[in-house]
């Protein structure tokens, strides 16, 4: 459409009031609140304006006289959008298993059933059925957590950031916390250890350098102001080369010597030694408890594969203090999370089952044979598209763990790579992202990459339909202009 045609078209866009008097719209007003309809018309007309300005394929619909049917369909779409939830299912084809932006860990079916059951009915959330009196919400998971980890006591809160805040506030408000400079990390979502520490009322005492910190650095910093020795898992990065850090074990010895509590923020936290499954070493929760650390904190939705939660394990005398801190009331875990967490933890009683069934762990341990099978299933459904000006190939690639765990681990994977010729790969990525359901992919070397590791089996048909729709649409536009 030429510039002047566009300008003419823009001037002819009808007014909201004009639309409101149409009989079809009067019908809509009988079904929906006026505010919803008016908003839908306003937005629908805005969309028409966008079409005129940007859509090359919109000759018929975006040129005056505008077809009312087209306008009506725009309004209806806007009404639907207003009542549709914004938070929804997306297909993760990025290959990043613990993807914080995409909701981290999908839950196991037993966790989902449990949270539905507990939320549908009343529950014994804070009621002791044995004694017929008030009980503790934490009691439901404390036993299983202690059993799995070997810790004396346990507490669960809203998330790990909350767990760290609670621990620091309880043990070191107004006191110094000694931390290695190499561990003052920022984790995605602007969680910075120094910032959390400030908010907890503790004073940060940095020791060592970025790449090297020695036991003597901690020792020299200890004084009457010291409240706590803290170790932080560096999560999403590693210091390589000329580097050294003090182990939790050594720190615990030092803490004993000076009668200071020692806490480890483990970040991801896992009960299974992943080296058995061909993955890099990640310290397990049990190993960290065994060092004699006073408290260990970690997330529920990273390697553990459960819901968002912060788990604190350790010595009873400290855990009792955490439980009684009024801040705990503000950070407390809700019943839905608690249900999902309990069911996830119960799966760990049988380690093999946990590895096979917890979605996050299963995706991490998928072998190339299984990945290839998934890739072929998708590829088959897409065959027939290759004559439409693109290549679709199964390729080897690598996926990432994500969630601040195993940052250097490269997981060999299989991807479906789509290389279009007639239109840009960026358009394809956008079209998929804005589809129903949205498909999140990545672009590498002019190809769209769909990593099969994070695509759930049941999603493959949906994925295929989404890709077909996007490709058909884009190649149709392509034909018009070439
Ligand atoms: C992820 C992480 C956190 C924050 O945990 P959330 O559960 O996201 O609140 C804190 N510390 C470390 C080391 C982490 O890796």
């Amino acid at each position: 459409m030429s510039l002047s045609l566009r300008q003419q078209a823009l001037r002819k866009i009808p007014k909201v009031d004009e639309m409101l008097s149409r009989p079809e719209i009067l019908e809509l007003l009988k079904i929906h609140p006026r505010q919803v309809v008016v908003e839908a018309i306003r937005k629908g007309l805005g969309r028409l304006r966008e079409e005129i300005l940007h859509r090359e394929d919109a000759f018929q619909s975006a040129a005056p006289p505008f077809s009312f049917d087209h306008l009506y369909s725009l309004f209806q779409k806007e009404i639907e959008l207003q009542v549709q939830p914004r938070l929804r299912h997306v297909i993760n084809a990025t290959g990043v298993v613990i993807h914080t932006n995409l909701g981290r860990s999908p839950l196991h079916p037993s966790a989902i059933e449990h949270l539905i059951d507990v939320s549908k009915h009343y529950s014994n959330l804070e009621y002791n059925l044995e004694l017929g009196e008030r009980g503790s919400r934490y009691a439901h998971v404390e036993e299983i957590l202690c059993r799995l980890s070997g810790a004396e006591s346990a507490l669960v809160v809203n998330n790990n950031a909350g767990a760290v805040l609670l621990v620091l506030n309880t043990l070191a408000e107004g006191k110094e916390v000694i931390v290695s400079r190499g561990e003052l990390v920022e984790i995605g979502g602007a969680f910075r250890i120094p910032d959390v520490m400030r908010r907890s009322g503790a004073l940060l005492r940095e020791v060592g350098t970025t790449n090297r910190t020695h036991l003597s650095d901690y020792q020299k910093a200890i004084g009457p102001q010291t409240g706590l020795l803290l170790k932080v898992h560096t999560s999403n990065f590693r210091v390589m080369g000329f580097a050294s850090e003090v182990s939790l074990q050594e720190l615990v010895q030092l803490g004993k010597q000076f009668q200071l509590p020692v806490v480890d923020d483990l970040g991801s936290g896992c009960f299974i030694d992943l080296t058995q499954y061909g993955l890099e070493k990640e310290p397990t929760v049990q190993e960290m408890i065994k060092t004699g650390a006073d408290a260990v904190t970690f997330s529920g939705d990273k390697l553990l594969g459960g819901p968002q939660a912060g788990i604190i394990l350790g010595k009873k005398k400290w855990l009792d203090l955490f439980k009684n801190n009024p801040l705990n009331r503000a950070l407390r875990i809700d019943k839905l999370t608690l249900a999902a967490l309990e069911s996830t933890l119960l799966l760990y009683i049988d380690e093999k089952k946990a590895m096979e069934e917890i979605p996050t762990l299963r995706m991490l341990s998928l072998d190339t044979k299984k990945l290839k099978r998934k890739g072929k299933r998708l590829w088959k459904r897409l065959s027939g598209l290759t004559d439409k000006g693109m290549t679709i190939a199964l390729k080897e690639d690598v996926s990432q763990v994500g969630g601040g765990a195993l940052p250097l681990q490269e997981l060999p994977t299989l991807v479906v790579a789509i290389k279009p010729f007639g239109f840009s790969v960026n358009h394809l990525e956008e079209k998929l992202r804005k589809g129903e359901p949205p498909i999140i992919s990545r672009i590498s070397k002019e190809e769209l990459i769909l990593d099969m590791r994070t695509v759930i089996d049941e999603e493959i048909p949906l994925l295929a339909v989404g890709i077909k729709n996007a490709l058909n649409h884009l190649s149709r536009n392509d034909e018009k202009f070439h």
Side-chain angles (χ1 to χ4, degrees):
M1 213 187 286
S2 76
L3 196 63
S4 63
L5 272 178
R6 278 210 168 108
Q7 276 165 348
Q8 274 178 25
L10 285 177
R11 275 197 294 273
K12 296 244 167 68
I13 294 178
K15 301 275 172 296
V16 176
D17 285 343
E18 236 173 277
M19 289 291 106
L20 279 170
S21 58
R22 299 271 313 205
E24 297 89 339
I25 303 293
L26 292 175
E27 284 305 308
L28 277 183
L29 284 167
K30 285 184 193 158
I31 317 169
H32 306 285
R34 187 180 170 82
Q35 217 185 359
V36 171
V37 177
V38 172
E39 178 73 3
I41 295 176
R42 219 174 44 72
K43 286 208 170 134
L45 294 176
R47 209 167 276 261
L48 180 67
R49 166 178 284 272
E50 289 296 305
E51 284 182 359
I52 295 167
L53 289 172
H54 303 296
R55 284 259 305 264
E56 291 295 350
D57 66 326
F59 280 107
Q60 277 113 29
S61 58
F66 304 107
S67 109
F68 182 75
D69 279 353
H70 178 60
L71 292 179
Y72 190 78
S73 72
L74 289 177
F75 302 156
Q76 281 230 286
K77 185 145 189 239
E78 289 300 335
I79 289 177
E80 275 167 34
L81 284 175
Q82 285 184 58
V83 294
Q84 234 179 34
R86 303 283 203 274
L87 177 64
R88 58 206 179 118
H89 169 199
V90 309
I91 296 180
N92 176 8
T94 65
V96 180
V97 179
I98 307 169
H99 198 308
T100 295
N101 300 150
L102 303 185
R104 291 194 183 156
S105 290
L107 293 176
H108 186 272
S110 68
I112 297 162
E113 270 164 37
H114 192 182
L115 78 79
I116 290 173
D117 192 41
V118 161
S119 54
K120 227 172 166 175
H121 310 104
Y122 292 103
S123 66
N124 61 338
L125 180 65
E126 289 186 349
Y127 189 73
N128 185 324
L129 295 171
E130 287 297 317
L131 304 174
E133 60 188 38
R134 200 200 144 111
S136 147
R137 71 172 60 209
Y138 312 110
H140 306 289
V141 289
E142 182 150 18
E143 194 183 312
I144 178 81
L145 278 168
C146 292
R147 176 173 162 185
L148 294 172
S149 66
E152 282 176 16
S153 183
L155 171 64
V156 286
V157 293
N158 179 63
N159 61 357
N160 188 33
V164 174
L165 181 70
L166 179 62
V167 167
L168 290 174
N169 176 265
T170 310
L171 297 179
E173 191 179 17
K175 294 187 198 152
E176 283 183 2
V177 175
I178 305 180
V179 195
S180 161
R181 280 208 170 83
E183 296 173 2
L184 292 173
V185 295
E186 174 176 317
I187 291 129
F191 173 90
R192 285 182 168 184
I193 283 290
D195 295 342
V196 176
M197 201 170 283
R198 208 169 302 123
R199 286 288 164 169
S200 75
L203 304 162
L204 172 63
R205 180 74 192 268
E206 303 170 42
V207 295
T209 60
T210 305
N211 58 332
R212 288 171 77 83
T213 302
H214 307 287
L215 194 64
S216 57
D217 293 323
Y218 287 92
Q219 198 160 355
K220 276 183 255 165
I222 293 174
Q225 287 304 305
T226 311
L228 174 70
L229 305 179
L230 178 69
K231 187 157 177 66
V232 183
H233 191 291
T234 54
S235 293
N236 42 15
F237 80 103
R238 290 278 181 278
V239 180
M240 310 286 283
F242 189 59
S244 76
E245 60 174 323
V246 176
S247 71
L248 184 63
Q249 194 117 33
E250 292 171 282
L251 224 47
V252 167
Q253 289 312 315
L254 190 67
K256 279 211 181 103
Q257 200 181 325
F258 289 89
Q259 293 187 329
L260 287 168
V262 176
V263 171
D264 186 16
D265 172 15
L266 251 184
S268 207
C270 184
F271 287 115
I272 297 177
D273 179 0
L274 296 173
T275 55
Q276 304 168 74
Y277 301 91
L279 295 162
E280 271 172 34
K281 178 74 193 166
E282 214 10 54
T284 65
V285 174
Q286 304 87 298
E287 285 165 355
M288 296 302 102
I289 291 294
K290 227 179 188 163
T291 63
D294 293 279
V296 167
T297 76
F298 56 98
S299 295
D301 55 353
K302 291 183 180 171
L303 278 176
L304 192 75
Q308 177 191 304
I311 299 168
I312 313 174
L313 304 173
K315 303 263 164 72
K316 186 172 182 304
K317 77 169 171 178
W318 303 122
L319 268 288
D320 285 345
L321 293 180
F322 303 150
K323 287 174 189 174
N324 291 324
N325 185 334
L327 198 53
N328 180 33
R329 180 62 179 75
L331 298 168
R332 84 173 179 188
I333 193 162
D334 86 297
K335 65 181 179 183
L336 304 189
T337 311
L338 195 60
L341 181 63
E342 186 186 12
S343 285
T344 307
L345 291 169
L346 289 171
L347 293 165
Y348 279 90
I349 291 176
D350 181 347
E351 186 182 306
K352 204 164 150 269
K353 191 168 161 178
M355 207 62 206
E356 279 166 11
E357 291 193 9
I358 294 175
T360 296
L361 294 177
R362 190 181 56 215
M363 285 187 222
L364 284 175
S365 58
L366 275 178
D367 60 30
T368 31
K369 220 170 96 191
K370 287 203 184 100
L371 289 161
K372 198 172 256 174
R373 211 176 306 140
K374 271 204 221 186
K376 276 198 178 140
R377 277 184 61 201
L378 178 62
W379 188 77
K380 269 194 196 135
R381 283 173 182 264
L382 298 178
S383 64
L385 286 171
T386 35
D387 50 348
K388 289 203 168 159
M390 68 199 75
T391 60
I392 302 178
L394 270 180
K395 284 189 173 179
E396 288 178 1
D397 207 323
V398 285
S399 17
Q400 284 163 22
V401 178
L406 308 160
L408 305 181
Q409 175 88 53
E410 290 194 333
L411 303 163
T413 191
L414 232 93
V415 302
V416 171
I418 304 177
K419 192 182 179 91
F421 301 127
F423 48 89
S424 100
V425 69
N426 299 70
H427 279 151
L428 179 57
E429 184 277 332
E430 183 186 348
K431 196 91 198 152
L432 291 176
R433 175 161 41 86
K434 293 181 175 172
E436 182 55 55
I439 297 164
I440 315 299
S441 59
R442 65 187 156 88
I443 295 172
S444 167
K445 299 186 189 118
E446 300 298 305
E447 286 185 321
L448 186 101
I449 305 292
L450 300 154
D451 192 323
M452 298 319 294
R453 183 180 296 275
T454 45
V455 174
I456 299 163
D457 283 334
E458 295 84 66
E459 290 175 331
I460 290 177
L462 269 178
L463 184 56
V465 171
I467 295 168
K468 270 188 200 164
N469 287 344
L471 287 175
N472 278 329
H473 187 266
L474 289 165
S475 56
R476 214 172 32 244
N477 281 356
D478 180 45
E479 275 159 26
K480 274 192 191 149
F481 290 89
H482 292 278

